[in-house]
PDB file of all heavy atoms in Angstrom:
ATOM      1  N   LEU A  29      85.094 104.177  99.379  1.00 97.00           N
ATOM      2  CA  LEU A  29      85.992 105.320  99.567  1.00 97.00           C
ATOM      3  C   LEU A  29      85.340 106.609  99.086  1.00 97.00           C
ATOM      4  O   LEU A  29      85.334 107.633  99.783  1.00 97.00           O
ATOM      5  CB  LEU A  29      87.302 105.064  98.819  1.00 97.00           C
ATOM      6  CG  LEU A  29      88.289 106.229  98.707  1.00 97.00           C
ATOM      7  CD1 LEU A  29      88.765 106.668 100.077  1.00 97.00           C
ATOM      8  CD2 LEU A  29      89.473 105.831  97.825  1.00 97.00           C
ATOM      9  N   ARG A  30      84.778 106.554  97.898  1.00 95.00           N
ATOM     10  CA  ARG A  30      84.160 107.733  97.303  1.00 95.00           C
ATOM     11  C   ARG A  30      82.989 108.229  98.158  1.00 95.00           C
ATOM     12  O   ARG A  30      82.843 109.429  98.402  1.00 95.00           O
ATOM     13  CB  ARG A  30      83.690 107.401  95.890  1.00 95.00           C
ATOM     14  CG  ARG A  30      83.286 108.579  95.055  1.00 95.00           C
ATOM     15  CD  ARG A  30      83.140 108.189  93.593  1.00 95.00           C
ATOM     16  NE  ARG A  30      82.220 107.083  93.400  1.00 95.00           N
ATOM     17  CZ  ARG A  30      82.578 105.902  92.896  1.00 95.00           C
ATOM     18  NH1 ARG A  30      83.819 105.678  92.528  1.00 95.00           N
ATOM     19  NH2 ARG A  30      81.695 104.943  92.744  1.00 95.00           N
ATOM     20  N   SER A  31      82.144 107.316  98.613  1.00 95.00           N
ATOM     21  CA  SER A  31      80.972 107.715  99.399  1.00 95.00           C
ATOM     22  C   SER A  31      81.361 108.247 100.770  1.00 95.00           C
ATOM     23  O   SER A  31      80.582 108.954 101.409  1.00 95.00           O
ATOM     24  CB  SER A  31      80.017 106.532  99.557  1.00 95.00           C
ATOM     25  OG  SER A  31      80.611 105.492 100.321  1.00 95.00           O
ATOM     26  N   SER A  32      82.570 107.929 101.200  1.00 95.00           N
ATOM     27  CA  SER A  32      83.029 108.403 102.500  1.00 95.00           C
ATOM     28  C   SER A  32      83.598 109.816 102.420  1.00 95.00           C
ATOM     29  O   SER A  32      83.424 110.610 103.354  1.00 95.00           O
ATOM     30  CB  SER A  32      84.089 107.456 103.066  1.00 95.00           C
ATOM     31  OG  SER A  32      84.557 107.901 104.321  1.00 95.00           O
ATOM     32  N   VAL A  33      84.263 110.144 101.291  1.00 95.00           N
ATOM     33  CA  VAL A  33      84.944 111.445 101.223  1.00 95.00           C
ATOM     34  C   VAL A  33      84.189 112.509 100.429  1.00 95.00           C
ATOM     35  O   VAL A  33      84.250 113.693 100.770  1.00 95.00           O
ATOM     36  CB  VAL A  33      86.376 111.296 100.655  1.00 95.00           C
ATOM     37  CG1 VAL A  33      87.207 110.388 101.529  1.00 95.00           C
ATOM     38  CG2 VAL A  33      86.360 110.793  99.212  1.00 95.00           C
ATOM     39  N   VAL A  34      83.482 112.112  99.368  1.00 92.00           N
ATOM     40  CA  VAL A  34      82.838 113.119  98.509  1.00 92.00           C
ATOM     41  C   VAL A  34      81.750 113.896  99.239  1.00 92.00           C
ATOM     42  O   VAL A  34      81.744 115.135  99.216  1.00 92.00           O
ATOM     43  CB  VAL A  34      82.308 112.460  97.217  1.00 92.00           C
ATOM     44  CG1 VAL A  34      81.463 113.455  96.419  1.00 92.00           C
ATOM     45  CG2 VAL A  34      83.471 111.958  96.354  1.00 92.00           C
ATOM     46  N   PRO A  35      80.810 113.225  99.937  1.00 90.00           N
ATOM     47  CA  PRO A  35      79.764 114.002 100.620  1.00 90.00           C
ATOM     48  C   PRO A  35      80.303 114.897 101.740  1.00 90.00           C
ATOM     49  O   PRO A  35      79.660 115.880 102.117  1.00 90.00           O
ATOM     50  CB  PRO A  35      78.836 112.916 101.194  1.00 90.00           C
ATOM     51  CG  PRO A  35      79.114 111.693 100.396  1.00 90.00           C
ATOM     52  CD  PRO A  35      80.573 111.784 100.071  1.00 90.00           C
ATOM     53  N   ARG A  36      81.483 114.569 102.257  1.00 91.00           N
ATOM     54  CA  ARG A  36      82.060 115.325 103.366  1.00 91.00           C
ATOM     55  C   ARG A  36      83.022 116.406 102.905  1.00 91.00           C
ATOM     56  O   ARG A  36      83.645 117.088 103.729  1.00 91.00           O
ATOM     57  CB  ARG A  36      82.779 114.368 104.319  1.00 91.00           C
ATOM     58  CG  ARG A  36      81.850 113.331 104.955  1.00 91.00           C
ATOM     59  CD  ARG A  36      82.628 112.292 105.710  1.00 91.00           C
ATOM     60  NE  ARG A  36      81.742 111.311 106.364  1.00 91.00           N
ATOM     61  CZ  ARG A  36      82.164 110.223 106.999  1.00 91.00           C
ATOM     62  NH1 ARG A  36      83.469 109.980 107.080  1.00 91.00           N
ATOM     63  NH2 ARG A  36      81.305 109.400 107.558  1.00 91.00           N
ATOM     64  N   GLY A  37      83.184 116.522 101.597  1.00 92.00           N
ATOM     65  CA  GLY A  37      84.068 117.561 101.086  1.00 92.00           C
ATOM     66  C   GLY A  37      85.536 117.240 101.201  1.00 92.00           C
ATOM     67  O   GLY A  37      86.381 118.145 101.181  1.00 92.00           O
ATOM     68  N   GLY A  38      85.883 115.966 101.323  1.00 92.00           N
ATOM     69  CA  GLY A  38      87.293 115.566 101.392  1.00 92.00           C
ATOM     70  C   GLY A  38      87.648 114.976 102.741  1.00 92.00           C
ATOM     71  O   GLY A  38      86.902 114.196 103.324  1.00 92.00           O
ATOM     72  N   GLY A  39      88.825 115.345 103.235  1.00 95.00           N
ATOM     73  CA  GLY A  39      89.274 114.825 104.526  1.00 95.00           C
ATOM     74  C   GLY A  39      89.857 113.438 104.456  1.00 95.00           C
ATOM     75  O   GLY A  39      89.784 112.674 105.427  1.00 95.00           O
ATOM     76  N   LEU A  40      90.468 113.086 103.296  1.00 97.00           N
ATOM     77  CA  LEU A  40      91.062 111.758 103.136  1.00 97.00           C
ATOM     78  C   LEU A  40      92.514 111.763 103.591  1.00 97.00           C
ATOM     79  O   LEU A  40      93.351 112.480 103.046  1.00 97.00           O
ATOM     80  CB  LEU A  40      90.975 111.310 101.676  1.00 97.00           C
ATOM     81  CG  LEU A  40      91.624 109.966 101.326  1.00 97.00           C
ATOM     82  CD1 LEU A  40      91.042 108.834 102.165  1.00 97.00           C
ATOM     83  CD2 LEU A  40      91.472 109.680  99.835  1.00 97.00           C
ATOM     84  N   LEU A  41      92.810 110.948 104.596  1.00 98.00           N
ATOM     85  CA  LEU A  41      94.165 110.763 105.097  1.00 98.00           C
ATOM     86  C   LEU A  41      94.663 109.396 104.643  1.00 98.00           C
ATOM     87  O   LEU A  41      93.977 108.392 104.830  1.00 98.00           O
ATOM     88  CB  LEU A  41      94.200 110.846 106.624  1.00 98.00           C
ATOM     89  CG  LEU A  41      93.616 112.107 107.261  1.00 98.00           C
ATOM     90  CD1 LEU A  41      93.609 111.989 108.782  1.00 98.00           C
ATOM     91  CD2 LEU A  41      94.392 113.341 106.818  1.00 98.00           C
ATOM     92  N   LEU A  57      95.533 108.922  93.126  1.00 95.00           N
ATOM     93  CA  LEU A  57      94.293 109.525  93.616  1.00 95.00           C
ATOM     94  C   LEU A  57      94.245 111.024  93.311  1.00 95.00           C
ATOM     95  O   LEU A  57      93.178 111.571  93.005  1.00 95.00           O
ATOM     96  CB  LEU A  57      94.142 109.275  95.113  1.00 95.00           C
ATOM     97  CG  LEU A  57      93.735 107.847  95.511  1.00 95.00           C
ATOM     98  CD1 LEU A  57      93.810 107.670  97.023  1.00 95.00           C
ATOM     99  CD2 LEU A  57      92.327 107.524  95.011  1.00 95.00           C
ATOM    100  N   VAL A  58      95.389 111.672  93.383  1.00 95.00           N
ATOM    101  CA  VAL A  58      95.452 113.089  93.014  1.00 95.00           C
ATOM    102  C   VAL A  58      95.075 113.248  91.539  1.00 95.00           C
ATOM    103  O   VAL A  58      94.304 114.148  91.165  1.00 95.00           O
ATOM    104  CB  VAL A  58      96.849 113.667  93.293  1.00 95.00           C
ATOM    105  CG1 VAL A  58      97.007 115.049  92.639  1.00 95.00           C
ATOM    106  CG2 VAL A  58      97.090 113.770  94.795  1.00 95.00           C
ATOM    107  N   GLU A  60      93.257 111.144  89.696  1.00 93.00           N
ATOM    108  CA  GLU A  60      91.836 110.833  89.521  1.00 93.00           C
ATOM    109  C   GLU A  60      90.958 111.972  90.032  1.00 93.00           C
ATOM    110  O   GLU A  60      89.897 112.248  89.465  1.00 93.00           O
ATOM    111  CB  GLU A  60      91.486 109.529  90.253  1.00 93.00           C
ATOM    112  CG  GLU A  60      92.076 108.274  89.634  1.00 93.00           C
ATOM    113  CD  GLU A  60      91.550 108.010  88.228  1.00 93.00           C
ATOM    114  OE1 GLU A  60      90.429 108.470  87.907  1.00 93.00           O
ATOM    115  OE2 GLU A  60      92.260 107.361  87.457  1.00 93.00           O
ATOM    116  N   ALA A  61      91.376 112.619  91.101  1.00 94.00           N
ATOM    117  CA  ALA A  61      90.619 113.757  91.624  1.00 94.00           C
ATOM    118  C   ALA A  61      90.514 114.859  90.579  1.00 94.00           C
ATOM    119  O   ALA A  61      89.452 115.474  90.398  1.00 94.00           O
ATOM    120  CB  ALA A  61      91.272 114.286  92.901  1.00 94.00           C
ATOM    121  N   ALA A  62      91.619 115.100  89.865  1.00 93.00           N
ATOM    122  CA  ALA A  62      91.622 116.145  88.835  1.00 93.00           C
ATOM    123  C   ALA A  62      90.809 115.732  87.617  1.00 93.00           C
ATOM    124  O   ALA A  62      90.001 116.516  87.097  1.00 93.00           O
ATOM    125  CB  ALA A  62      93.064 116.462  88.436  1.00 93.00           C
ATOM    126  N   SER A  64      88.401 113.465  87.295  1.00 90.00           N
ATOM    127  CA  SER A  64      86.983 113.193  87.530  1.00 90.00           C
ATOM    128  C   SER A  64      86.216 114.419  88.011  1.00 90.00           C
ATOM    129  O   SER A  64      84.991 114.377  88.113  1.00 90.00           O
ATOM    130  CB  SER A  64      86.835 112.074  88.570  1.00 90.00           C
ATOM    131  OG  SER A  64      87.304 112.505  89.840  1.00 90.00           O
ATOM    132  N   GLY A  65      86.930 115.486  88.335  1.00 92.00           N
ATOM    133  CA  GLY A  65      86.266 116.660  88.881  1.00 92.00           C
ATOM    134  C   GLY A  65      85.819 116.464  90.313  1.00 92.00           C
ATOM    135  O   GLY A  65      84.905 117.155  90.784  1.00 92.00           O
ATOM    136  N   ARG A  66      86.472 115.539  91.033  1.00 93.00           N
ATOM    137  CA  ARG A  66      86.153 115.283  92.426  1.00 93.00           C
ATOM    138  C   ARG A  66      87.388 115.550  93.280  1.00 93.00           C
ATOM    139  O   ARG A  66      88.125 114.628  93.646  1.00 93.00           O
ATOM    140  CB  ARG A  66      85.690 113.835  92.615  1.00 93.00           C
ATOM    141  CG  ARG A  66      84.309 113.564  92.024  1.00 93.00           C
ATOM    142  CD  ARG A  66      83.993 112.097  92.095  1.00 93.00           C
ATOM    143  NE  ARG A  66      82.597 111.845  91.756  1.00 93.00           N
ATOM    144  CZ  ARG A  66      82.150 110.685  91.302  1.00 93.00           C
ATOM    145  NH1 ARG A  66      82.998 109.683  91.122  1.00 93.00           N
ATOM    146  NH2 ARG A  66      80.872 110.524  91.038  1.00 93.00           N
ATOM    147  N   PRO A  67      87.652 116.783  93.605  1.00 95.00           N
ATOM    148  CA  PRO A  67      88.857 117.113  94.371  1.00 95.00           C
ATOM    149  C   PRO A  67      88.885 116.447  95.737  1.00 95.00           C
ATOM    150  O   PRO A  67      89.961 116.333  96.345  1.00 95.00           O
ATOM    151  CB  PRO A  67      88.789 118.642  94.497  1.00 95.00           C
ATOM    152  CG  PRO A  67      87.348 118.981  94.301  1.00 95.00           C
ATOM    153  CD  PRO A  67      86.827 117.979  93.320  1.00 95.00           C
ATOM    154  N   GLU A  68      87.737 115.987  96.208  1.00 95.00           N
ATOM    155  CA  GLU A  68      87.683 115.337  97.526  1.00 95.00           C
ATOM    156  C   GLU A  68      88.500 114.042  97.567  1.00 95.00           C
ATOM    157  O   GLU A  68      88.862 113.560  98.646  1.00 95.00           O
ATOM    158  CB  GLU A  68      86.230 115.017  97.903  1.00 95.00           C
ATOM    159  CG  GLU A  68      85.308 116.218  97.906  1.00 95.00           C
ATOM    160  CD  GLU A  68      84.687 116.484  96.549  1.00 95.00           C
ATOM    161  OE1 GLU A  68      85.053 115.783  95.584  1.00 95.00           O
ATOM    162  OE2 GLU A  68      83.834 117.385  96.466  1.00 95.00           O
ATOM    163  N   LEU A  69      88.780 113.462  96.395  1.00 96.00           N
ATOM    164  CA  LEU A  69      89.539 112.205  96.346  1.00 96.00           C
ATOM    165  C   LEU A  69      91.031 112.410  96.591  1.00 96.00           C
ATOM    166  O   LEU A  69      91.750 111.445  96.854  1.00 96.00           O
ATOM    167  CB  LEU A  69      89.350 111.526  94.990  1.00 96.00           C
ATOM    168  CG  LEU A  69      87.954 110.967  94.683  1.00 96.00           C
ATOM    169  CD1 LEU A  69      87.891 110.485  93.240  1.00 96.00           C
ATOM    170  CD2 LEU A  69      87.607 109.830  95.646  1.00 96.00           C
ATOM    171  N   ALA A  70      91.510 113.633  96.483  1.00 96.00           N
ATOM    172  CA  ALA A  70      92.944 113.894  96.686  1.00 96.00           C
ATOM    173  C   ALA A  70      93.288 113.705  98.160  1.00 96.00           C
ATOM    174  O   ALA A  70      92.719 114.367  99.024  1.00 96.00           O
ATOM    175  CB  ALA A  70      93.293 115.302  96.234  1.00 96.00           C
ATOM    176  N   PRO A  71      94.220 112.806  98.468  1.00 97.00           N
ATOM    177  CA  PRO A  71      94.516 112.510  99.868  1.00 97.00           C
ATOM    178  C   PRO A  71      95.629 113.385 100.441  1.00 97.00           C
ATOM    179  O   PRO A  71      96.398 114.014  99.707  1.00 97.00           O
ATOM    180  CB  PRO A  71      94.984 111.058  99.807  1.00 97.00           C
ATOM    181  CG  PRO A  71      95.721 110.994  98.496  1.00 97.00           C
ATOM    182  CD  PRO A  71      94.961 111.915  97.553  1.00 97.00           C
ATOM    183  N   LEU A  72      95.685 113.391 101.744  1.00 96.00           N
ATOM    184  CA  LEU A  72      96.828 113.940 102.455  1.00 96.00           C
ATOM    185  C   LEU A  72      97.673 112.745 102.889  1.00 96.00           C
ATOM    186  O   LEU A  72      97.212 111.899 103.656  1.00 96.00           O
ATOM    187  CB  LEU A  72      96.365 114.734 103.681  1.00 96.00           C
ATOM    188  CG  LEU A  72      97.467 115.393 104.525  1.00 96.00           C
ATOM    189  CD1 LEU A  72      98.177 116.477 103.720  1.00 96.00           C
ATOM    190  CD2 LEU A  72      96.870 115.977 105.803  1.00 96.00           C
ATOM    191  N   THR A 101      88.347 110.583 106.709  1.00 97.00           N
ATOM    192  CA  THR A 101      88.503 109.176 106.345  1.00 97.00           C
ATOM    193  C   THR A 101      89.975 108.818 106.383  1.00 97.00           C
ATOM    194  O   THR A 101      90.808 109.523 105.794  1.00 97.00           O
ATOM    195  CB  THR A 101      87.943 108.910 104.934  1.00 97.00           C
ATOM    196  OG1 THR A 101      86.553 109.254 104.907  1.00 97.00           O
ATOM    197  CG2 THR A 101      88.103 107.440 104.549  1.00 97.00           C
ATOM    198  N   ALA A 193      87.828 104.777  91.666  1.00 93.00           N
ATOM    199  CA  ALA A 193      87.354 105.855  92.531  1.00 93.00           C
ATOM    200  C   ALA A 193      86.902 107.068  91.733  1.00 93.00           C
ATOM    201  O   ALA A 193      85.997 107.797  92.161  1.00 93.00           O
ATOM    202  CB  ALA A 193      88.444 106.259  93.519  1.00 93.00           C
TER     203      ALA A 193
END
Side-chain angles (χ1 to χ4, degrees):
L29 171 62
R30 192 167 55 243
S31 65
S32 180
V33 300
V34 172
R36 298 171 178 174
L40 177 57
L41 305 175
L57 285 172
V58 168
E60 290 297 335
S64 66
R66 289 173 170 156
E68 303 88 355
L69 292 173
L72 181 65
T101 300

